[in-house]
Amino acid sequence: MKLKTLNSIAIILLLAGISTVSAQTSAQERADTLRLQLEEVKTKQLDLETRLQVLDEQSKPENIEKSLAGVGSTHPEDLRELKRKQFENEKASVQKQLALLADSRTRLEAGVAQADAAAYQQSAKGPAMPVEAATTTGDSVAPAPKQRQRRARARRVKTKKTDDE
């Protein structure tokens, strides 16, 4: 009977240790995944910025004229205008994509910071808050009780000083 109880306690402690390690690992894995996504976004941004520079160069009047030099038409000005509009539309599309990637990059950078904080907190003293809640909702990790006590004490002291003056 005693042996079964000891075995049960040992299994419970083992499972508790494994869940702490797996939560820490999942926070680290989440941070790594977000870092990979962030690198992909940066690469896409660089590609789009390069494409935007190429479009700027191609949309110059002299380059449009050179590109249409071999095309015969009774209204070359219409062809040049059409080509210019195509470049402008493509530039607008690339700029929209860049704006979306910039937003995505900002969110990913914040997510990486939160995941790193959660992983650090879990490695330092165990999980204080589920990783998914801290990283997916955008909420910051709650301060430790001692930090809250210090902040409250500092506020009371600050309030007391202003009342005395």
Side-chain angles (χ1 to χ4, degrees):
M1 183 73 170
K2 237 182 187 183
L3 187 58
K4 285 183 179 181
T5 306
L6 289 175
N7 284 340
S8 299
I9 292 173
I11 290 172
I12 291 171
L13 291 175
L14 180 65
L15 290 175
I18 289 172
S19 68
T20 301
V21 170
S22 68
Q24 181 179 348
T25 303
S26 68
Q28 291 169 346
E29 289 172 354
R30 173 118 174 102
D32 291 340
T33 301
L34 290 173
R35 277 191 195 88
L36 286 174
Q37 290 175 355
L38 183 60
E39 288 303 314
E40 289 174 4
V41 166
K42 287 179 181 179
T43 303
K44 287 178 184 177
Q45 274 184 313
L46 288 174
D47 291 344
L48 287 173
E49 287 169 356
T50 303
R51 179 67 183 142
L52 192 59
Q53 289 174 350
V54 168
L55 286 170
D56 282 337
E57 187 64 30
Q58 288 177 335
S59 65
K60 290 182 179 178
E62 60 271 11
N63 291 332
I64 291 175
E65 196 165 324
K66 284 180 187 177
S67 71
L68 296 173
V71 179
S73 173
T74 56
H75 299 287
E77 62 280 351
D78 291 342
L79 288 177
R80 287 191 296 266
E81 184 62 22
L82 181 65
K83 194 74 160 170
R84 187 191 63 76
K85 283 183 182 180
Q86 287 174 342
F87 285 135
E88 291 300 319
N89 288 339
E90 191 171 350
K91 281 172 43 176
S93 173
V94 169
Q95 288 170 338
K96 285 179 187 177
Q97 290 175 2
L98 280 170
L100 290 172
L101 285 175
D103 290 343
S104 179
R105 182 176 178 170
T106 302
R107 284 192 305 275
L108 284 170
E109 286 171 346
V112 167
Q114 288 176 348
D116 283 342
Y120 174 76
Q121 189 175 39
Q122 288 173 355
S123 69
K125 57 185 167 186
M129 155 179 240
V131 177
E132 292 78 19
T135 57
T136 58
T137 62
D139 296 337
S140 61
V141 177
K146 287 185 180 180
Q147 288 175 335
R148 282 182 281 195
Q149 290 172 354
R150 279 189 227 126
R151 288 179 186 161
R153 191 177 315 124
R155 275 187 248 132
R156 284 193 302 267
V157 169
K158 192 175 185 180
T159 305
K160 189 174 182 181
K161 285 182 183 178
T162 57
D163 290 343
D164 292 341
E165 296 174 357

Coordinates of all heavy atoms in Angstrom, one line a residue, residues 29-110:
E29 N 9.9 27.3 -28.6 CA 9.6 27.0 -30.0 C 8.7 28.0 -30.6 O 8.9 28.3 -31.8 CB 8.9 25.6 -30.0 CG 9.7 24.4 -29.7 CD 9.0 23.1 -29.5 OE1 7.7 23.2 -29.5 OE2 9.6 22.1 -29.3
R30 N 7.8 28.6 -29.9 CA 7.0 29.7 -30.4 C 7.8 30.9 -30.8 O 7.6 31.5 -31.8 CB 5.9 30.1 -29.3 CG 5.1 31.3 -29.7 CD 3.6 30.9 -29.8 NE 2.8 32.1 -30.0 CZ 2.3 32.4 -31.2 NH1 2.6 31.7 -32.3 NH2 1.6 33.5 -31.3
A31 N 8.8 31.2 -29.9 CA 9.7 32.3 -30.2 C 10.5 32.0 -31.5 O 10.7 32.9 -32.3 CB 10.6 32.6 -29.0
D32 N 11.0 30.8 -31.6 CA 11.8 30.5 -32.8 C 10.9 30.5 -34.0 O 11.4 31.0 -35.1 CB 12.4 29.1 -32.6 CG 13.5 29.0 -31.5 OD1 14.0 30.1 -31.2 OD2 13.8 27.9 -31.0
T33 N 9.7 30.0 -33.9 CA 8.8 30.0 -35.1 C 8.5 31.5 -35.5 O 8.5 31.8 -36.7 CB 7.5 29.3 -34.7 OG1 7.7 28.0 -34.4 CG2 6.5 29.4 -35.9
L34 N 8.3 32.3 -34.5 CA 8.0 33.7 -34.8 C 9.2 34.4 -35.4 O 9.1 35.2 -36.3 CB 7.6 34.5 -33.6 CG 6.2 34.1 -33.1 CD1 5.9 34.8 -31.7 CD2 5.1 34.5 -34.0
R35 N 10.4 34.0 -35.0 CA 11.6 34.6 -35.6 C 11.8 34.2 -37.0 O 12.2 35.0 -37.9 CB 12.9 34.1 -34.8 CG 13.1 34.9 -33.6 CD 14.5 34.6 -32.9 NE 14.6 35.2 -31.6 CZ 14.2 34.5 -30.5 NH1 13.7 33.3 -30.6 NH2 14.2 35.1 -29.4
L36 N 11.5 32.9 -37.3 CA 11.5 32.5 -38.7 C 10.5 33.3 -39.6 O 10.9 33.7 -40.7 CB 11.2 31.0 -38.8 CG 12.3 30.0 -38.3 CD1 11.9 28.6 -38.3 CD2 13.6 30.2 -39.2
Q37 N 9.3 33.4 -39.1 CA 8.3 34.2 -39.8 C 8.8 35.6 -40.0 O 8.6 36.2 -41.1 CB 7.0 34.2 -39.1 CG 6.3 32.8 -39.1 CD 5.0 32.8 -38.3 OE1 4.7 33.8 -37.6 NE2 4.3 31.7 -38.3
L38 N 9.4 36.2 -39.0 CA 10.0 37.6 -39.1 C 11.0 37.7 -40.2 O 11.0 38.6 -40.9 CB 10.5 38.0 -37.7 CG 11.0 39.4 -37.6 CD1 9.9 40.4 -37.9 CD2 11.5 39.7 -36.2
E39 N 11.9 36.7 -40.2 CA 12.9 36.7 -41.3 C 12.3 36.6 -42.7 O 12.8 37.2 -43.6 CB 13.9 35.6 -41.1 CG 14.9 35.8 -39.9 CD 15.6 37.1 -40.0 OE1 16.2 37.4 -41.1 OE2 15.7 37.8 -39.0
E40 N 11.3 35.8 -42.8 CA 10.6 35.7 -44.1 C 10.0 37.0 -44.5 O 10.0 37.4 -45.7 CB 9.5 34.6 -44.0 CG 10.0 33.2 -44.0 CD 8.9 32.1 -43.7 OE1 7.7 32.5 -43.7 OE2 9.3 31.0 -43.6
V41 N 9.4 37.7 -43.5 CA 8.7 39.0 -43.8 C 9.8 40.0 -44.2 O 9.6 40.8 -45.2 CB 8.0 39.5 -42.6 CG1 7.6 41.0 -42.7 CG2 6.7 38.7 -42.4
K42 N 11.0 40.0 -43.5 CA 12.0 40.9 -43.9 C 12.5 40.6 -45.3 O 12.8 41.6 -46.1 CB 13.2 40.8 -42.9 CG 12.9 41.4 -41.5 CD 14.1 41.1 -40.6 CE 13.8 41.7 -39.2 NZ 15.0 41.5 -38.3
T43 N 12.7 39.3 -45.7 CA 13.1 39.0 -47.0 C 12.1 39.5 -48.0 O 12.5 40.0 -49.1 CB 13.3 37.5 -47.1 OG1 14.2 37.0 -46.1 CG2 13.8 37.1 -48.5
K44 N 10.8 39.3 -47.8 CA 9.8 39.7 -48.7 C 9.8 41.2 -48.9 O 9.6 41.8 -50.0 CB 8.4 39.3 -48.2 CG 8.1 37.8 -48.4 CD 6.8 37.4 -47.9 CE 6.5 35.9 -48.0 NZ 5.2 35.5 -47.4
Q45 N 10.0 41.9 -47.7 CA 10.1 43.4 -47.8 C 11.3 43.8 -48.7 O 11.1 44.8 -49.5 CB 10.3 44.0 -46.4 CG 9.0 44.2 -45.6 CD 9.3 44.9 -44.3 OE1 10.1 44.5 -43.5 NE2 8.5 45.9 -44.0
L46 N 12.4 43.2 -48.5 CA 13.6 43.6 -49.3 C 13.3 43.3 -50.8 O 13.6 44.2 -51.7 CB 14.8 42.8 -48.9 CG 15.4 43.2 -47.6 CD1 16.6 42.3 -47.2 CD2 15.9 44.7 -47.7
D47 N 12.7 42.2 -51.1 CA 12.3 41.9 -52.5 C 11.4 42.9 -53.1 O 11.5 43.4 -54.2 CB 11.7 40.5 -52.6 CG 12.7 39.4 -52.3 OD1 13.9 39.6 -52.4 OD2 12.2 38.2 -52.1
L48 N 10.3 43.3 -52.3 CA 9.4 44.3 -52.8 C 10.0 45.7 -52.9 O 9.7 46.4 -53.8 CB 8.2 44.3 -51.9 CG 7.2 43.1 -51.9 CD1 6.1 43.2 -50.9 CD2 6.6 43.0 -53.3
E49 N 10.9 46.0 -52.0 CA 11.6 47.3 -52.1 C 12.4 47.4 -53.4 O 12.5 48.4 -54.1 CB 12.4 47.6 -50.9 CG 11.6 47.9 -49.7 CD 12.3 48.0 -48.4 OE1 13.6 47.6 -48.4 OE2 11.7 48.3 -47.3
T50 N 13.1 46.3 -53.7 CA 13.9 46.2 -54.9 C 13.0 46.3 -56.1 O 13.3 47.0 -57.1 CB 14.6 44.8 -55.0 OG1 15.5 44.7 -53.8 CG2 15.5 44.7 -56.2
R51 N 11.8 45.6 -56.1 CA 10.9 45.7 -57.2 C 10.3 47.1 -57.4 O 10.2 47.6 -58.5 CB 9.7 44.7 -57.0 CG 8.7 44.7 -58.0 CD 9.2 44.2 -59.4 NE 8.2 44.3 -60.4 CZ 8.4 44.6 -61.6 NH1 9.7 44.8 -62.0 NH2 7.5 44.7 -62.5
L52 N 10.1 47.8 -56.3 CA 9.6 49.2 -56.3 C 10.7 50.1 -57.0 O 10.4 51.0 -57.8 CB 9.3 49.7 -54.9 CG 8.5 51.0 -54.8 CD1 7.2 50.9 -55.5 CD2 8.3 51.3 -53.3
Q53 N 12.0 49.9 -56.7 CA 13.0 50.7 -57.3 C 13.1 50.4 -58.8 O 13.3 51.3 -59.6 CB 14.4 50.3 -56.6 CG 14.5 50.9 -55.2 CD 15.8 50.4 -54.6 OE1 16.5 49.5 -55.1 NE2 16.1 51.0 -53.4
V54 N 12.9 49.1 -59.2 CA 12.9 48.8 -60.6 C 11.8 49.5 -61.3 O 11.9 50.0 -62.4 CB 12.9 47.2 -60.8 CG1 12.6 46.9 -62.2 CG2 14.2 46.6 -60.3
L55 N 10.6 49.4 -60.7 CA 9.4 50.1 -61.3 C 9.6 51.6 -61.4 O 9.2 52.2 -62.4 CB 8.2 49.7 -60.5 CG 7.6 48.3 -60.6 CD1 6.6 48.1 -59.5 CD2 7.1 48.1 -62.0
D56 N 10.2 52.2 -60.4 CA 10.5 53.6 -60.5 C 11.4 53.9 -61.7 O 11.1 54.9 -62.4 CB 11.2 54.1 -59.2 CG 10.2 54.3 -58.1 OD1 9.0 54.5 -58.3 OD2 10.6 54.3 -56.9
E57 N 12.4 53.1 -61.9 CA 13.3 53.3 -63.0 C 12.6 53.1 -64.3 O 12.7 53.9 -65.3 CB 14.5 52.4 -62.9 CG 15.6 52.6 -63.9 CD 16.3 54.0 -63.8 OE1 16.3 54.5 -62.6 OE2 16.7 54.5 -64.8
Q58 N 11.8 52.0 -64.4 CA 11.1 51.7 -65.7 C 10.0 52.7 -66.0 O 9.7 52.9 -67.2 CB 10.4 50.3 -65.6 CG 11.4 49.2 -65.6 CD 10.7 47.8 -65.5 OE1 9.6 47.7 -64.9 NE2 11.4 46.8 -66.0
S59 N 9.5 53.4 -65.0 CA 8.4 54.3 -65.3 C 8.8 55.7 -65.7 O 8.0 56.6 -65.9 CB 7.4 54.4 -64.1 OG 8.1 55.0 -63.0
K60 N 10.1 55.9 -65.7 CA 10.6 57.2 -66.2 C 10.3 57.3 -67.7 O 10.3 56.4 -68.4 CB 12.1 57.3 -66.0 CG 12.6 57.4 -64.6 CD 14.1 57.5 -64.4 CE 14.5 57.7 -63.0 NZ 15.9 57.7 -62.8
P61 N 9.9 58.5 -68.1 CA 9.4 58.8 -69.5 C 10.4 58.3 -70.5 O 10.0 57.6 -71.5 CB 9.2 60.3 -69.6 CG 9.0 60.7 -68.2 CD 9.8 59.8 -67.3
E62 N 11.7 58.5 -70.3 CA 12.7 58.1 -71.3 C 12.8 56.6 -71.4 O 13.0 56.0 -72.5 CB 14.1 58.7 -71.1 CG 14.7 58.3 -69.7 CD 14.4 59.3 -68.6 OE1 13.5 60.1 -68.7 OE2 15.0 59.2 -67.5
N63 N 12.6 55.9 -70.3 CA 12.7 54.4 -70.3 C 11.4 53.8 -70.9 O 11.4 52.8 -71.6 CB 12.9 53.8 -68.9 CG 14.3 54.2 -68.4 OD1 15.2 54.3 -69.2 ND2 14.5 54.3 -67.1
I64 N 10.3 54.5 -70.7 CA 9.0 54.0 -71.4 C 9.1 54.2 -72.9 O 8.8 53.3 -73.6 CB 7.8 54.8 -70.8 CG1 7.5 54.4 -69.4 CG2 6.6 54.5 -71.7 CD1 6.4 55.2 -68.7
E65 N 9.7 55.3 -73.3 CA 9.9 55.5 -74.7 C 10.8 54.5 -75.3 O 10.6 54.0 -76.4 CB 10.4 57.0 -74.9 CG 10.2 57.4 -76.3 CD 10.4 58.9 -76.5 OE1 10.0 59.6 -75.5 OE2 11.0 59.3 -77.5
K66 N 11.9 54.2 -74.6 CA 12.8 53.2 -75.1 C 12.2 51.8 -75.2 O 12.4 51.1 -76.2 CB 14.1 53.1 -74.2 CG 15.0 54.2 -74.3 CD 16.2 54.0 -73.4 CE 17.1 55.2 -73.4 NZ 18.2 55.1 -72.4
S67 N 11.3 51.5 -74.3 CA 10.7 50.1 -74.3 C 9.7 50.0 -75.4 O 9.4 48.9 -75.9 CB 10.0 49.8 -72.9 OG 8.9 50.6 -72.8
L68 N 9.2 51.1 -75.9 CA 8.2 51.1 -77.0 C 8.8 51.5 -78.3 O 8.0 51.7 -79.3 CB 7.0 52.0 -76.6 CG 6.2 51.6 -75.4 CD1 5.2 52.7 -75.1 CD2 5.5 50.3 -75.6
A69 N 10.1 51.6 -78.4 CA 10.7 52.1 -79.6 C 10.5 51.2 -80.8 O 10.3 51.6 -81.9 CB 12.2 52.2 -79.4
G70 N 10.4 49.9 -80.6 CA 10.2 48.9 -81.7 C 8.8 48.7 -82.0 O 8.5 48.0 -83.0
V71 N 7.9 49.3 -81.3 CA 6.5 49.1 -81.5 C 5.9 50.2 -82.4 O 6.1 51.4 -82.1 CB 5.7 49.1 -80.2 CG1 4.2 48.9 -80.5 CG2 6.2 48.0 -79.3
G72 N 5.4 49.9 -83.5 CA 4.8 50.9 -84.4 C 3.4 51.1 -84.1 O 2.6 50.2 -83.8
S73 N 3.0 52.4 -84.1 CA 1.6 52.8 -83.8 C 1.3 54.2 -84.4 O 2.2 55.0 -84.5 CB 1.4 52.8 -82.3 OG 0.1 53.3 -81.9
T74 N 0.1 54.4 -84.7 CA -0.3 55.7 -85.1 C -0.5 56.7 -84.0 O -0.5 57.9 -84.2 CB -1.6 55.6 -86.0 OG1 -2.6 55.0 -85.1 CG2 -1.4 54.8 -87.2
H75 N -0.6 56.1 -82.8 CA -0.8 57.0 -81.6 C 0.2 56.5 -80.5 O -0.2 55.9 -79.5 CB -2.2 56.9 -81.0 CG -3.3 57.3 -82.0 ND1 -3.4 58.7 -82.3 CD2 -4.2 56.7 -82.7 CE1 -4.4 58.8 -83.2 NE2 -4.9 57.6 -83.5
P76 N 1.5 56.8 -80.6 CA 2.5 56.3 -79.6 C 2.2 56.9 -78.3 O 2.6 56.3 -77.2 CB 3.8 56.8 -80.2 CG 3.5 57.8 -81.2 CD 2.1 57.5 -81.7
E77 N 1.7 58.1 -78.2 CA 1.4 58.8 -76.9 C 0.4 58.0 -76.1 O 0.5 57.9 -74.9 CB 1.0 60.2 -77.0 CG -0.3 60.5 -77.8 CD -0.2 60.4 -79.3 OE1 0.9 60.4 -79.8 OE2 -1.3 60.4 -79.9
D78 N -0.5 57.3 -76.8 CA -1.5 56.5 -76.0 C -0.8 55.2 -75.5 O -1.1 54.8 -74.3 CB -2.6 56.1 -77.0 CG -3.5 57.2 -77.4 OD1 -3.5 58.2 -76.7 OD2 -4.3 57.1 -78.4
L79 N 0.1 54.7 -76.2 CA 0.9 53.5 -75.8 C 1.7 53.9 -74.6 O 1.8 53.1 -73.6 CB 1.7 52.9 -76.9 CG 1.0 52.2 -78.0 CD1 2.0 51.7 -79.1 CD2 0.3 51.0 -77.4
R80 N 2.4 55.0 -74.6 CA 3.2 55.5 -73.5 C 2.4 55.7 -72.3 O 2.8 55.3 -71.2 CB 4.0 56.8 -73.9 CG 5.1 56.5 -74.9 CD 6.0 57.7 -75.0 NE 5.3 58.9 -75.6 CZ 5.3 59.2 -76.9 NH1 6.0 58.4 -77.8 NH2 4.6 60.2 -77.4
E81 N 1.2 56.3 -72.4 CA 0.3 56.6 -71.3 C -0.2 55.3 -70.7 O -0.2 55.1 -69.5 CB -0.8 57.5 -71.7 CG -1.8 57.9 -70.6 CD -1.1 58.7 -69.6 OE1 -0.1 59.3 -69.8 OE2 -1.7 58.7 -68.4
L82 N -0.5 54.3 -71.5 CA -0.9 53.0 -71.1 C 0.2 52.3 -70.3 O -0.1 51.8 -69.2 CB -1.4 52.1 -72.2 CG -1.9 50.8 -71.9 CD1 -3.2 50.8 -71.1 CD2 -2.1 49.9 -73.2
K83 N 1.4 52.4 -70.8 CA 2.5 51.7 -70.1 C 2.8 52.4 -68.8 O 3.0 51.8 -67.8 CB 3.8 51.8 -71.0 CG 4.9 51.0 -70.6 CD 4.6 49.5 -70.9 CE 5.9 48.8 -71.0 NZ 5.6 47.3 -71.1
R84 N 2.7 53.8 -68.8 CA 2.9 54.5 -67.5 C 1.9 54.1 -66.5 O 2.2 53.9 -65.3 CB 2.9 56.0 -67.8 CG 3.3 56.9 -66.6 CD 2.9 58.3 -66.8 NE 1.5 58.6 -67.0 CZ 0.6 58.6 -66.0 NH1 1.0 58.4 -64.8 NH2 -0.6 58.9 -66.2
K85 N 0.6 54.0 -66.9 CA -0.5 53.6 -66.0 C -0.2 52.2 -65.4 O -0.5 52.0 -64.2 CB -1.8 53.7 -66.7 CG -2.3 55.1 -66.8 CD -3.7 55.2 -67.4 CE -4.2 56.6 -67.6 NZ -5.5 56.7 -68.2
Q86 N 0.2 51.3 -66.3 CA 0.5 50.0 -65.8 C 1.6 50.0 -64.7 O 1.5 49.3 -63.7 CB 1.0 49.1 -67.0 CG -0.1 48.7 -67.9 CD 0.4 48.0 -69.2 OE1 1.6 48.0 -69.5 NE2 -0.5 47.3 -69.9
F87 N 2.6 50.8 -64.9 CA 3.7 50.9 -63.9 C 3.2 51.5 -62.6 O 3.5 51.0 -61.5 CB 4.9 51.7 -64.5 CG 5.7 50.9 -65.5 CD1 6.1 51.6 -66.6 CD2 6.1 49.6 -65.2 CE1 6.9 50.9 -67.6 CE2 6.9 49.0 -66.2 CZ 7.3 49.6 -67.3
E88 N 2.4 52.5 -62.8 CA 1.8 53.2 -61.6 C 0.9 52.2 -60.8 O 1.0 52.2 -59.6 CB 1.0 54.4 -62.0 CG 1.9 55.6 -62.5 CD 2.9 56.0 -61.5 OE1 2.6 56.1 -60.3 OE2 4.1 56.3 -61.9
N89 N 0.1 51.4 -61.5 CA -0.8 50.5 -60.8 C 0.1 49.4 -60.1 O -0.2 49.0 -59.0 CB -1.7 49.8 -61.8 CG -2.8 50.7 -62.3 OD1 -3.1 51.7 -61.6 ND2 -3.4 50.4 -63.4
E90 N 1.1 48.9 -60.8 CA 1.9 47.9 -60.1 C 2.7 48.5 -58.9 O 2.8 47.9 -57.9 CB 2.9 47.3 -61.1 CG 3.6 46.1 -60.6 CD 4.5 45.4 -61.7 OE1 4.3 45.7 -62.8 OE2 5.2 44.5 -61.2
K91 N 3.2 49.8 -59.1 CA 3.8 50.4 -57.9 C 2.9 50.6 -56.7 O 3.3 50.3 -55.6 CB 4.3 51.8 -58.3 CG 5.6 51.7 -59.1 CD 6.1 53.0 -59.7 CE 6.0 54.3 -58.9 NZ 6.6 55.5 -59.5
A92 N 1.6 50.9 -57.0 CA 0.6 51.1 -55.9 C 0.4 49.7 -55.2 O 0.3 49.7 -54.0 CB -0.7 51.6 -56.5
S93 N 0.3 48.7 -56.0 CA 0.1 47.3 -55.5 C 1.3 46.9 -54.6 O 1.1 46.4 -53.5 CB 0.0 46.3 -56.6 OG -0.1 45.0 -56.1
V94 N 2.5 47.2 -55.1 CA 3.7 46.9 -54.3 C 3.8 47.7 -53.0 O 4.1 47.2 -51.9 CB 5.0 47.1 -55.1 CG1 6.3 47.0 -54.3 CG2 5.1 46.0 -56.3
Q95 N 3.4 48.9 -53.1 CA 3.4 49.8 -51.9 C 2.4 49.3 -50.8 O 2.6 49.3 -49.6 CB 3.1 51.2 -52.3 CG 4.3 51.9 -53.0 CD 4.0 53.2 -53.6 OE1 2.8 53.6 -53.8 NE2 5.0 54.0 -53.8
K96 N 1.2 48.8 -51.3 CA 0.2 48.2 -50.4 C 0.8 47.0 -49.7 O 0.6 46.8 -48.5 CB -1.1 47.9 -51.1 CG -1.9 49.1 -51.5 CD -3.2 48.7 -52.2 CE -3.9 49.9 -52.7 NZ -5.1 49.5 -53.5
Q97 N 1.4 46.2 -50.5 CA 2.0 44.9 -50.0 C 3.1 45.3 -48.9 O 3.2 44.6 -47.9 CB 2.6 44.1 -51.1 CG 1.6 43.4 -51.9 CD 2.2 42.7 -53.1 OE1 3.4 42.6 -53.3 NE2 1.4 42.1 -54.0
L98 N 3.9 46.3 -49.2 CA 4.9 46.7 -48.3 C 4.3 47.2 -47.0 O 4.8 47.0 -45.9 CB 5.8 47.8 -48.9 CG 6.9 47.4 -49.8 CD1 7.5 48.5 -50.5 CD2 7.9 46.6 -49.0
A99 N 3.2 48.0 -47.1 CA 2.5 48.5 -45.9 C 2.0 47.3 -45.0 O 2.1 47.3 -43.8 CB 1.4 49.4 -46.2
L100 N 1.4 46.3 -45.7 CA 0.9 45.1 -45.0 C 2.1 44.3 -44.3 O 2.0 43.9 -43.2 CB 0.2 44.2 -45.9 CG -1.2 44.6 -46.4 CD1 -1.7 43.7 -47.5 CD2 -2.2 44.8 -45.3
L101 N 3.2 44.2 -45.0 CA 4.3 43.5 -44.4 C 4.9 44.3 -43.3 O 5.4 43.7 -42.3 CB 5.4 43.3 -45.5 CG 5.1 42.2 -46.5 CD1 6.2 42.2 -47.6 CD2 5.0 40.9 -45.8
A102 N 4.9 45.6 -43.3 CA 5.4 46.4 -42.2 C 4.5 46.2 -41.0 O 5.0 46.1 -39.9 CB 5.4 47.9 -42.6
D103 N 3.2 46.1 -41.2 CA 2.3 45.8 -40.0 C 2.6 44.4 -39.5 O 2.6 44.2 -38.3 CB 0.8 45.9 -40.5 CG 0.4 47.3 -40.8 OD1 1.1 48.3 -40.3 OD2 -0.7 47.5 -41.4
S104 N 2.7 43.5 -40.4 CA 3.0 42.1 -40.0 C 4.3 42.1 -39.2 O 4.4 41.4 -38.2 CB 3.0 41.2 -41.2 OG 3.3 39.9 -40.8
R105 N 5.3 42.8 -39.7 CA 6.6 42.8 -39.1 C 6.5 43.3 -37.6 O 7.1 42.8 -36.7 CB 7.6 43.6 -39.9 CG 9.0 43.7 -39.3 CD 9.9 44.4 -40.3 NE 11.2 44.5 -39.7 CZ 12.3 45.0 -40.4 NH1 12.2 45.4 -41.6 NH2 13.5 45.0 -39.8
T106 N 5.8 44.4 -37.5 CA 5.6 45.0 -36.1 C 4.9 44.0 -35.2 O 5.4 43.8 -34.0 CB 4.7 46.3 -36.2 OG1 5.3 47.2 -37.1 CG2 4.5 46.9 -34.9
R107 N 3.9 43.3 -35.7 CA 3.2 42.3 -34.8 C 4.1 41.2 -34.5 O 4.2 40.7 -33.4 CB 2.0 41.8 -35.5 CG 0.8 42.8 -35.5 CD -0.5 42.1 -35.9 NE -0.5 41.5 -37.2 CZ -0.7 42.2 -38.4 NH1 -1.0 43.4 -38.3 NH2 -0.6 41.5 -39.5
L108 N 4.9 40.7 -35.5 CA 5.8 39.6 -35.2 C 6.9 40.0 -34.2 O 7.3 39.2 -33.4 CB 6.4 39.1 -36.5 CG 5.5 38.3 -37.4 CD1 6.2 38.1 -38.8 CD2 5.2 36.9 -36.8
E109 N 7.4 41.2 -34.3 CA 8.5 41.6 -33.4 C 7.9 41.7 -32.0 O 8.6 41.3 -31.0 CB 9.0 43.0 -33.8 CG 9.9 42.9 -35.0 CD 10.3 44.3 -35.6 OE1 9.7 45.3 -35.3 OE2 11.2 44.3 -36.4
A110 N 6.7 42.1 -31.8 CA 6.0 42.2 -30.5 C 5.8 40.7 -30.0 O 6.0 40.4 -28.8 CB 4.7 42.9 -30.6

